[in-house]
Structures are given as structure tokens and as C-alpha cells.
Amino acid sequence: MFWGGGIGARNIYNYNSRKEVATPAAGAPSPQMIVSGMVTVPGDKSITHRLLLLAGLCPGRSRIGSPLTSLDARSTASLLRALGVNISPLKIGGNVVVVGRKRFLPPGVVLNCGNSGTSARLSLGLLAGHHFTVSVTGDASLRRRPMKRITEPLTLMGARFGGKLPDRLPLRLRGGPLRSIDWEMPVSSAQIKGCLLFAGLAAHCAVNLREPSGRSRDHTERLLRSFGYSVLEDSNGWIRFQPNGKLEPFDLVVPGDPSSAAFLVGAALLAERGELHLLGVGLNPTRTGFLAILERMGGGIESVRQGIAAGEPVGDLAVKPSELFGTVVPPSEVVGVIDELPMLAVLASRAHGESRFLEVGELRVKESDRLSLLASNLRAIGAKAAVEGNNLIVEGGSAPPRGKVKTEGDHRIAMAFEVLNAVPGARVKVDNLECAAVSFPGFSESLKKILSKRSSR
């Protein structure tokens, strides 16, 4: 056991208790953090990428409402323009119009995906089915991330890769006719799954996939089904794709990104009074695992489903300040909360008792080594945290968090620790909050909008 007491000790706490009204201390009034507002979050990053790419292969004019306009989304738009697709500028609060083509044109430049692993992996899947050679690269962070997970199965399908390192960008891809594949994925990953399904789409061949542990987000499957493609999951966990549909121009609205919403949910839970309403958030079951974990920790969160957007369930979230308690996140839950783990770990540092996040080694190969960064930054602000193998252990505490946070340019690390400034008395200095624009443009402004300090008396 890491610290005295351990997991068993947390059972003494009441998981349904709340701190909606705090009792002021005697003497001078102390400020309280109040949360309020009815706000929206940026469009879903995963869905925006996929709609842009699919619209690029739809001959005709498609309209995407409320897309994410972050740096990552702009990377996908930029590479599509280099492939001969006409895309209007991505503007906050606006729509984007895409005039696609039946097949991409050979680019005259190296395709630069910036910091976006989704742009790189999904586009390589589509490009593998095209009869030309293309080079793909990214920024320093993306060039460190593993690519063998997609190059190996794409090579078995018939694509050819070259580059200094077969497991890293930059890569040179020679696409062409592909053959069907049965592939047991090394890790459960929506990017790997989406890449191979898109390869089958572009090359008109069957693809059968099996995820080893848990179900990753299923946006690709939902979108392909909406175009008439057969994407079935059998009783043994195999996803079976048949290229029997047809891409046609569309007019769809992107739901709010639940991963972005997680940071505002976290800020609301850490406040002392009030209530926050988040409107039009995607409620896809493969994306809302973090809500179930937070409710288990005592979080006062209610979701109300309102309808469907882009084939996805959408609704509103109501969040109240809450007293949180430690929990265990087992490996079966990790795949569904991989992007929300930084926020969950930060909240665990404010909870009663110990929390354990088990088998989260996949965090090591995200935009940074998130596993090490989370532990070191938690310690830097005065919390107790440690990495044991692939497990992250966090001990909750009540002292105001104070210290400097190193992000290494990781947007989710930056936003998670900035949320801790909602705690009265906090002095957390995030070294690069600007990197939040990778997924959540205007994050700082949104955080300030929902929070205010008032005297308790």
C-alpha cells in the first residue's frame, strides 16, 4: 500500500454527501468560489476530424455545423486542402463548407499534421487506398508518438512505408489497391480502429477488427453506418466492415465535446456553491465513462438526453459543487476515459482518501508522457502522487494547491491543472496555458466565465 489507510479506508465515507452550502468560519469573512452559468463547449474534436475527412471524399458540397476550430482541426483542414479539397475557413461559432472530390489529388508538399495524432493516423488510413506517394510529418511531440500500430496492419493490407524510423513520423506512404484484413489490435484505440476502417472505405475492401480490452469510442462506426456501410459487431467482439455504402454530401451539426466539458465539470465540482449547466454535450456511451467515475466519487452530476446530432446522442449536463471521495479506476474503464484521466487525477488530489488508476500506461504515448507528468506536477503543487509500474496513485488533500506546473505543451495537462485555481487560496502557475488551443479554443475565458469569488458573509 502506498500511504497508510489505503483503498479500504475510503469505504468509511458517504459517497452521496454534498457541499453545496459551506459553513463560514468564525471571524473575518472568507471568499467562496461560486459556479454559475449556462454554457456550451467547443465541438467534438473526434467527430470534427472524421466529418472533415469524410466530406473531403464526398464529391459535392457538405456543411458541418459547430465544428471544433482548434489547432488540431485546422491541421486536418490544411492537409485536406493540400489534397485538392476546398474547405472554407474554420471560424469560432461558424460553419464550415467542404467541397470534396471522389479521390484525393497527389499533394505537392509534405503533409504536416502539427500536434494532431488523429489527423495523422486517420489520414494515413484514407491515403493508403490512393494510388500515389505522399509524405506525412508532424511537430516534435507528434514525431515521438508510435505509428507502428497503424503501419503494420496497413502494410499487411498492401500499403508501403518508408522513413528513417518505421515506428515514427515522418513517414513516406505509397498507397494503392489494398486487400482485406483480419486484425487483432494490440491496444484498444479509436485512432487505430478509425485508420483501418477508413483504409477499407478508401480501397473498397472488407476490414475485420478486434479490440483487446474494452470498447474505444465508436464515432467512426456510427458515421460509416449513416452512409449505408455495414459495420457490425459480433458476439466475440469482432467489428466487421463491408464497403457496401456510398459517401454523399451531408449537412450535420457537431455535438459539444465531452472531453472539453470534463474540465468545466471539474471546476464546478471544486467550487463551493452554485450550479453549472453545460448545453448540447455529446453523450455517446463510449465517451461518458468519466461521468460515471465522478458520480462514484460523489460528484453531483445529472445528464438529460435531448436528441441526436451527427448520429450521436446529445444532451445537457447539470453539475453541483460536491465533496469527492477516492476511487479505483480499473483497466476495463481506462480505454473509455483516456482523455479525461488528467482531469480525474487532478480531482482525486482534492478528494478524501486514496485513488488508484490501474494500467494507464497508454498515457505514456500521448502528446507527452502524461503518466509521469501527472505524478510530478501533482507533487509540485503539494499533493501526494506516485507511479507504480503502469498505475497512478493519488492521495487526496485539502491544502491549497501551490506550485509550478510543467506541461511540455500538452493541452490536457495544462487545462487540468489550471482548473485547480478554482480552489480558494490556490496559486498554481501553468507554464504554457496557450497550448489549450489544441483542443479547447477560449478555455481560459470559459473558465473565468463560470467562476466568481464572493464573500461568505
Side-chain angles (χ1 to χ4, degrees):
M1 193 57 61
F2 187 63
W3 292 288
I7 297 172
R10 66 187 178 86
N11 293 327
I12 66 173
Y13 298 116
N14 175 8
Y15 277 67
N16 294 312
S17 64
R18 300 285 183 266
K19 59 173 184 180
E20 295 172 30
V21 180
T23 302
S30 58
Q32 288 189 329
M33 189 63 72
I34 312 300
V35 65
S36 63
M38 301 177 67
V39 299
T40 59
V41 293
D44 188 282
K45 184 159 76 82
S46 297
I47 297 173
T48 297
H49 282 301
R50 287 159 173 79
L51 286 179
L52 287 171
L53 290 166
L54 290 174
L57 277 182
C58 286
R61 182 180 184 274
S62 295
R63 174 185 168 275
I64 303 172
S66 302
L68 179 65
T69 60
S70 71
L71 296 178
D72 274 12
R74 293 175 190 274
S75 292
T76 291
S78 177
L79 71 85
L80 283 171
R81 293 187 184 104
L83 293 167
V85 178
N86 190 327
I87 301 179
S88 66
L90 273 67
K91 297 180 179 179
I92 294 176
N95 304 317
V96 62
V97 174
V98 181
V99 181
R101 51 191 315 115
K102 189 172 183 180
R103 304 295 286 173
F104 293 145
L105 296 178
V109 297
V110 175
L111 300 180
N112 193 327
C113 299
N115 188 246
S116 178
T118 306
S119 301
R121 294 188 176 105
L122 294 187
S123 65
L124 283 168
L126 288 178
L127 291 167
H130 283 71
H131 295 245
F132 55 71
T133 299
V134 60
S135 294
V136 179
T137 190
D139 68 8
S141 171
L142 185 55
R143 292 197 301 271
R144 292 193 297 267
R145 298 175 67 181
M147 291 293 159
K148 185 178 180 181
R149 298 168 171 186
I150 62 166
T151 59
E152 184 176 2
L154 288 176
T155 298
L156 292 174
M157 294 178 73
R160 293 292 176 263
F161 288 91
K164 291 183 179 180
L165 297 172
D167 190 31
R168 297 288 189 272
L169 294 180
L171 287 171
R172 185 176 65 256
L173 164 65
R174 174 65 184 177
L178 302 180
R179 49 186 170 268
S180 299
I181 189 173
D182 290 358
W183 185 250
E184 296 203 43
M185 294 161 52
V187 295
S188 295
S189 164
Q191 289 184 7
I192 301 173
K193 181 170 59 175
C195 168
L196 299 179
L197 290 174
F198 274 4
L201 168 73
H204 306 288
C205 65
V207 173
N208 300 311
L209 305 171
R210 190 165 186 262
E211 296 189 271
S213 58
R215 186 183 182 193
S216 64
R217 57 190 64 176
D218 64 353
H219 304 304
T220 304
E221 298 97 303
R222 288 173 179 263
L223 286 171
L224 290 176
R225 290 187 192 109
S226 72
F227 289 103
Y229 291 93
S230 174
V231 189
L232 303 176
E233 185 172 353
D234 66 22
S235 58
N236 294 317
W238 283 89
I239 298 168
R240 303 190 181 279
F241 167 80
Q242 290 292 331
N244 53 1
K246 182 181 180 182
L247 291 181
E248 295 181 328
F250 55 83
D251 188 338
L252 294 172
V253 176
V254 180
D257 195 318
S259 296
S260 293
F263 298 102
L264 301 186
V265 169
L269 292 173
L270 291 179
E272 293 168 295
R273 287 196 291 130
E275 185 169 349
L276 175 66
H277 292 264
L278 296 168
L279 310 179
V281 179
L283 297 179
N284 183 317
T286 64
R287 296 292 302 281
T288 55
F290 75 98
L291 294 176
I293 292 171
L294 289 176
E295 289 171 359
R296 190 166 77 227
M297 294 175 71
I301 306 170
E302 293 183 5
S303 62
V304 180
R305 180 168 168 171
Q306 301 289 353
I308 299 291
E312 304 274 342
V314 176
D316 301 337
L317 299 177
V319 190
K320 294 182 179 181
S322 304
E323 193 169 8
L324 300 177
F325 302 88
T327 192
V328 177
V329 178
S332 59
E333 288 185 303
V334 167
V335 67
V337 297
I338 195 69
D339 284 341
E340 294 78 36
L341 279 172
M343 190 67 252
L344 291 171
V346 163
L347 291 175
S349 75
R350 307 302 303 169
H352 295 283
E354 182 184 271
S355 293
R356 286 182 169 248
F357 304 87
L358 305 180
E359 295 302 322
V360 292
E362 187 66 12
L363 289 175
R364 299 184 190 277
V365 291
K366 303 300 282 184
E367 284 84 339
S368 66
D369 179 352
R370 280 185 185 158
L371 183 53
S372 297
L373 268 183
L374 278 170
S376 62
N377 282 321
L378 284 169
R379 292 193 295 268
I381 61 167
K384 293 181 179 180
V387 175
E388 293 182 353
N390 285 326
N391 304 328
L392 175 66
I393 304 96
V394 181
E395 177 77 7
S398 58
R402 297 177 180 179
K404 295 181 179 180
V405 170
K406 296 180 180 180
T407 64
E408 295 188 6
D410 190 316
H411 55 124
R412 300 198 193 279
I413 293 288
M415 290 186 284
F417 282 90
E418 182 64 16
V419 164
L420 284 181
N421 279 320
V423 176
R427 289 201 298 268
V428 177
K429 178 62 176 177
V430 177
D431 69 359
N432 179 10
L433 193 54
E434 291 74 20
C435 66
V438 165
S439 63
F440 195 154
F443 166 71
S444 294
E445 292 75 14
S446 295
L447 196 60
K448 292 175 183 176
K449 181 179 178 180
I450 67 170
L451 296 173
S452 61
K453 286 184 179 179
R454 301 177 194 168
S455 172
S456 61
R457 296 179 67 179

